[in-house]
Amino acid sequence: MRHLIDTALLKVIGWANLAVFKVSRGGVRFYSFGGVPGLFLTVTAPAAPIGEDLSVSCFPDGDDHIVLAAASDTRLLDLLRTATAVTFSDSEIPVDCVMLTDTERAVQLRRIRKRLSLPQRHEVTEHRLLPVARLSPRL
């Protein structure tokens, strides 16, 4: 039910945004949509021995990041599950990658949903994104 309400609200906001944009001839934007934040990772695993660059959806959790993925994204899940090395691509900071248990996933999903904006919550629901791994920078 909440997903239907979110979808309806986003459509109304989109229409209002378009109307204001047209009336102001592109000078004013009523609302700016933002998506789920992301990171670029370089993952080394048996399936990618030289390292594979990936773009992942994630949310900060203190110094850590929680990676979100759809269950259908088997390539990403396999790489993270078997990763021998993971780095943030932009800064080359090595991180430890720990896959989340089902209980941890449920807890993290509740925590993340509380902090989401309306467009982010819609995107997470629409793409069926779930927390799958915790990335912790090595110190």
Side-chain angles (χ1 to χ4, degrees):
M1 181 66 168
R2 185 175 184 146
H3 177 63
L4 294 174
I5 293 169
D6 287 352
T7 301
L9 279 172
L10 284 172
K11 286 187 186 230
V12 169
I13 291 169
W15 290 330
N17 213 15
L18 185 60
V20 169
F21 192 76
K22 283 183 177 181
V23 168
S24 69
R25 295 185 183 156
V28 177
R29 192 171 7 163
F30 174 65
Y31 184 82
S32 179
F33 291 96
V36 174
L39 278 175
F40 288 107
L41 301 176
T42 301
V43 179
T44 305
I50 19 179
E52 184 168 329
D53 293 328
L54 302 170
S55 174
V56 296
S57 298
C58 69
F59 278 93
D61 186 30
D63 289 339
D64 298 346
H65 286 82
I66 304 297
V67 176
L68 301 175
S72 60
D73 196 352
T74 55
R75 175 79 176 151
L76 171 63
L77 295 173
D78 289 343
L79 283 172
L80 291 175
R81 195 174 291 117
T82 61
T84 55
V86 179
T87 58
F88 293 143
S89 297
D90 56 344
S91 57
E92 297 188 14
I93 297 173
V95 294
D96 293 321
C97 179
V98 177
M99 298 303 285
L100 300 176
T101 65
D102 289 339
T103 305
E104 291 171 325
R105 283 181 184 178
V107 169
Q108 286 298 331
L109 187 58
R110 277 194 302 275
R111 287 181 66 204
I112 288 170
R113 281 183 182 252
K114 287 180 184 176
R115 301 185 320 206
L116 296 175
S117 66
L118 176 65
Q120 290 172 336
R121 187 172 59 237
H122 180 73
E123 186 177 344
V124 166
T125 304
E126 187 71 22
H127 296 292
R128 294 183 171 91
L129 299 177
L130 296 171
V132 294
R134 174 180 295 281
L135 302 176
S136 304
R138 289 188 197 148
L139 302 176

